[in-house]
C-alpha cells in the first residue's frame, strides 16, 4: 500500500479547524458576544433558529453585549399621514422593512400621534393632546411620559430634540424649545429622574448681529413668484416636520438648532441659556425649500432652490470664524434638474456622513441618499406594501438598538 509522505500545509490545517468549529462550542458569554455583532435585522430571525438562540435573544446579558457594539448602520423611520404601521429603510441591506406598531400607539387616544424626534435606538412621538410617547421600534417597548406641568397650547413650540446614551443603562433627554422670537424658553425631560425639569429662559446673545435687523417672525413679506402667484415669506412646513430641529455637543455645550417661521436658523445654547440667529442663505423674497440636519456632530443646512431655469440642491455649513455660510456638497445638476418647476418640498435627516432626503410635490415623491464623503447621490427604490407604492413625507434616523429601553 502506497502512503503519501506529503506534509499537510498550515493552510489546510486552518481549513480543517475552521470546518470543525461550531457556535455550539462557545460558552454562553462568547456566544452572546458573537450574536451581538450580527445586523439588527437578524434579531427577528434569532428566535426561529433554535432554543439556544431564542434564549439568547431574550437575555439581559445579550442586550448588554449589544450595548458594547460602538455603532450600527442607521435605519430611517418613515413618516406618512395615517400610517398604522412602522416602515423603515435599512441602510445596511438597502431595503424597506415593516415593523409592528407598539400596542400603546394603537390605542384610540394615540392613533393620531406623530413622530417628532429620534436618537440612538428610540423614537419620540407627540400625541394629539400634546403628550409625548417614547418607543423602541425594534422591540416594540413603549411608554408615555409624564404630562407637562404647563399648557403648551398658549406657546409656540419651535423644536423637539432627543438625545440618548448608554452608560451603565440607557438614559435619554427630550428638549422642547418654545416661545416667539426673541422671547424663547426651553424645558427638558430627563429619563434618569423620570420628570420634566424647570423651565429656563433663553436670552439673545450679546454679539448677535441679527439683533440689529428686525428679524422677528411677525413681519411677513408677500411677493409675486415668477409664476405670478402671491407667496408669503413665512415658512409653511409639513406637520411631520414642523418641529424640525437638531442637537449638537461642542466644547461641552449643548446647542439646539431650529428653523424659524421666516426661514432663519436659530441656535439655542442650552448650557449658556442664550440664542443667536444666523444670517439668511437666500433673500427673503426667494422661493426655496430648506431643512437642517446633524451630521457627525455638526449642524448643516440642505437647500433646494430654482435659479436661471434650473433647480439645485446644495448642502451648507456655517463658518463660525468668518460668520458666513460655506457650500460643502451639491447634487449633480443632471439629477436635480428633473425637479425644475415641480416645486418639491424637502425634508431631510442626517446620519453620520449621510443625508436622507425626502422630496415631495403633487407631481413627484422620491427619496435620495447623499454621502458627504464621496459626494455620491443615489435615488432609492420605491417602497411597495401589498402592491401599493407608499409615499412618505419625511424620515427620522436612528440606530436600531435591541438594548435601548424606554
Amino acid at each position: 500500500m502506497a502512503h503519501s509522505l506529503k506534509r499537510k500545509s498550515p493552510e489546510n490545517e486552518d481549513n480543517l479547524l475552521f470546518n470543525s468549529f461550531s457556535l455550539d462550542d462557545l460558552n454562553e458569554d462568547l456566544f452572546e458576544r458573537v450574536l451581538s455583532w450580527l445586523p439588527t435585522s437578524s434579531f427577528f430571525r434569532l428566535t426561529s433558529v433554535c432554543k439556544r438562540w431564542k434564549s439568547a435573544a431574550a437575555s439581559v446579558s445579550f442586550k448588554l453585549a449589544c450595548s458594547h457594539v460602538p455603532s450600527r448602520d442607521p435605519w430611517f423611520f418613515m413618516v406618512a399621514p395615517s400610517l398604522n404601521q412602522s416602515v423603515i429603510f435599512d441602510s445596511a441591506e438597502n431595503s424597506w422593512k415593516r415593523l409592528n406598531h407598539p400596542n400603546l400607539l394603537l390605542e384610540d387616544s394615540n392613533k393620531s400621534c406623530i413622530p417628532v424626534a429620534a436618537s440612538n435606538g428610540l423614537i419620540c412621538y407627540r400625541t394629539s393632546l400634546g403628550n409625548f410617547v417614547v418607543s423602541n421600534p425594534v422591540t416594540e417597548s413603549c411608554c408615555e411620559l409624564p404630562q407637562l406641568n404647563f399648557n403648551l397650547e398658549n406657546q409656540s413650540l419651535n423644536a423637539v430634540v432627543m438625545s440618548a446614551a448608554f452608560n451603565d443603562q440607557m438614559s435619554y433627554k427630550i428638549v422642547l424649545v418654545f416661545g416667539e422670537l426673541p422671547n424663547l424658553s426651553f424645558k427638558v425631560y430627563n429619563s434618569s429622574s423620570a420628570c420634566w425639569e424647570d423651565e429656563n429662559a433663553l436670552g439673545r446673545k450679546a454679539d448677535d448681529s441679527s439683533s440689529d435687523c428686525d428679524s422677528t417672525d411677525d413681519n411677513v413679506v408677500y411677493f409675486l413668484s415668477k409664476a405670478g402667484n402671491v407667496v408669503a415669506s413665512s415658512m409653511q412646513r409639513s406637520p411631520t416636520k414642523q418641529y424640525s430641529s437638531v442637537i449638537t455637543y461642542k466644547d461641552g455645550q449643548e446647542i439646539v438648532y431650529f428653523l424659524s417661521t421666516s426661514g432663519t436658523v436659530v441656535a439655542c445654547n442650552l448650557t449658556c441659556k442664550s440664542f443667536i440667529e444666523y444670517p439668511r442663505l437666500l433673500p427673503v423674497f426667494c422661493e426655496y425649500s430648506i431643512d437642517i440636519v446633524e451630521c457627525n456632530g455638526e449642524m448643516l443646512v440642505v437647500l433646494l432652490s430654482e435659479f436661471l431655469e434650473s433647480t439645485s440642491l446644495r448642502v451648507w455649513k456655517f463658518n463660525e470664524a468668518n460668520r458666513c455660510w460655506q457650500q460643502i456638497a451639491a447634487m449633480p445638476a443632471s439629477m436635480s434638474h428633473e425637479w425644475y418647476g415641480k416645486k418639491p418640498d424637502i425634508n431631510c435627516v442626517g446620519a453620520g456622513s449621510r443625508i436622507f432626503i425626502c422630496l415631495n410635490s403633487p407631481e413627484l415623491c422620491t427619496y435620495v441618499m447623499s454621502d458627504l464623503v464621496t459626494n455620491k447621490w443615489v435615488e432609492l427604490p420605491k417602497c411597495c406594501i401589498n402592491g401599493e407604492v407608499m409615499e412618505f413625507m419625511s424620515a427620522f434616523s436612528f440606530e436600531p438598538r435591541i438594548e435601548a429601553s424606554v
Side-chain angles (χ1 to χ4, degrees):
M1 180 182 293
H3 295 280
S4 173
L5 298 178
K6 185 178 179 181
R7 187 175 178 179
K8 291 183 179 179
S9 68
E11 183 181 350
N12 290 334
E13 290 179 355
D14 289 343
N15 288 336
L16 272 173
L17 181 63
F18 178 79
N19 291 331
S20 62
F21 172 78
S22 170
L23 285 176
D24 294 333
D25 297 332
L26 297 177
N27 62 38
E28 203 64 24
D29 181 55
L30 283 175
F31 177 67
E32 291 178 349
R33 288 189 189 184
V34 171
L35 293 186
S36 69
W37 285 88
L38 292 174
T40 305
S41 56
S42 303
F43 172 73
F44 302 104
R45 298 189 285 267
L46 291 182
T47 56
S48 60
V49 175
C50 63
K51 287 183 178 180
R52 189 185 184 195
W53 286 49
K54 182 177 181 178
S55 175
S59 72
V60 175
S61 54
F62 171 65
K63 293 180 179 179
L64 182 62
C66 289
S67 71
H68 293 152
V69 178
S71 64
R72 295 190 184 275
D73 289 317
W75 284 6
F76 295 91
F77 188 90
M78 308 307 298
V79 183
S82 305
L83 190 64
N84 60 357
Q85 59 186 318
S86 300
V87 179
I88 61 102
F89 181 79
D90 184 344
S91 64
E93 298 183 358
N94 198 41
S95 63
W96 299 95
K97 290 181 171 60
R98 284 187 291 173
L99 306 176
N100 294 325
H101 249 19
N103 291 331
L104 181 61
L105 297 181
L106 295 175
E107 296 179 2
D108 291 339
S109 59
N110 294 327
K111 282 187 176 179
S112 59
C113 68
I114 59 172
V116 290
S119 179
N120 215 317
L122 302 176
I123 303 288
C124 177
Y125 298 80
R126 190 177 190 221
T127 70
S128 58
L129 299 176
N131 299 324
F132 294 90
V133 175
V134 175
S135 170
N136 182 333
V138 178
T139 63
E140 299 178 38
S141 60
C142 196
C143 78
E144 188 167 1
L145 304 189
Q147 290 187 350
L148 289 163
N149 54 12
F150 74 105
N151 194 351
L152 264 178
E153 289 183 2
N154 301 324
Q155 302 277 359
S156 176
L157 184 58
N158 301 302
V160 181
V161 294
M162 186 179 192
S163 62
F166 194 100
N167 296 318
D168 294 330
Q169 61 182 6
M170 171 65 71
S171 64
Y172 59 88
K173 293 196 305 183
I174 295 173
V175 181
L176 313 179
V177 179
F178 49 89
E180 299 287 348
L181 285 169
N183 303 310
L184 298 178
S185 300
F186 72 93
K187 201 169 181 65
V188 178
Y189 174 83
N190 197 321
S191 67
S192 300
S193 58
C195 67
W196 292 93
E197 299 174 0
D198 293 336
E199 178 182 339
N200 290 276
L202 292 164
R204 190 185 291 273
K205 195 174 179 182
D207 60 350
D208 184 3
S209 58
S210 66
S211 61
D212 299 333
C213 306
D214 192 359
S215 58
T216 61
D217 290 348
D218 294 333
N219 298 324
V220 180
V221 177
Y222 296 89
F223 58 93
L224 283 175
S225 68
K226 289 186 293 184
N229 300 318
V230 177
V231 180
S233 61
S234 60
M235 190 170 56
Q236 304 295 320
R237 300 197 63 83
S238 70
T240 58
K241 292 286 281 187
Q242 59 183 315
Y243 311 121
S244 181
S245 47
V246 298
I247 186 168
T248 65
Y249 299 86
K250 184 177 182 181
D251 300 327
Q253 298 181 336
E254 292 179 295
I255 304 176
V256 172
Y257 300 87
F258 70 89
L259 289 169
S260 71
T261 55
S262 62
T264 59
V265 177
V266 181
C268 302
N269 189 316
L270 306 186
T271 308
C272 299
K273 296 182 176 59
S274 63
F275 75 90
I276 186 173
E277 281 185 87
Y278 288 164
R280 290 184 177 278
L281 268 161
L282 291 177
V284 68
F285 50 81
C286 289
E287 289 185 84
Y288 58 89
S289 183
I290 186 173
D291 205 355
I292 55 176
V293 299
E294 179 271 323
C295 289
N296 292 327
E298 292 187 311
M299 183 278 297
L300 304 176
V301 166
V302 184
L303 188 79
L304 179 77
S305 61
E306 292 187 358
F307 183 69
L308 296 178
E309 308 303 319
S310 66
T311 298
S312 68
L313 193 151
R314 303 171 188 270
V315 182
W316 300 81
K317 175 184 174 181
F318 191 73
N319 186 314
E320 296 284 356
N322 298 329
R323 302 293 299 165
C324 66
W325 293 97
Q326 294 180 336
Q327 179 183 311
I328 62 170
M331 177 182 284
S334 58
M335 192 173 186
S336 61
H337 183 67
E338 65 177 285
W339 301 321
Y340 177 73
K342 296 182 173 65
K343 300 188 183 302
D345 178 41
I346 59 169
N347 291 295
C348 313
V349 64
S353 61
R354 288 177 281 190
I355 300 177
F356 188 104
I357 305 167
C358 297
L359 296 108
N360 299 94
S361 80
E363 300 178 50
L364 74 97
C365 181
T366 189
Y367 321 104
V368 174
M369 187 79 77
S370 165
D371 189 318
L372 299 179
V373 175
T374 62
N375 198 30
K376 187 177 181 181
W377 302 72
V378 178
E379 187 170 343
L380 303 181
K382 299 291 185 182
C383 175
C384 294
I385 296 178
N386 299 325
E388 182 181 353
V389 176
M390 300 294 296
E391 293 189 355
F392 304 106
M393 300 295 297
S394 58
F396 290 89
S397 68
F398 70 102
E399 287 189 26
R401 291 282 185 176
I402 298 165
E403 70 277 12
S405 59
V406 297

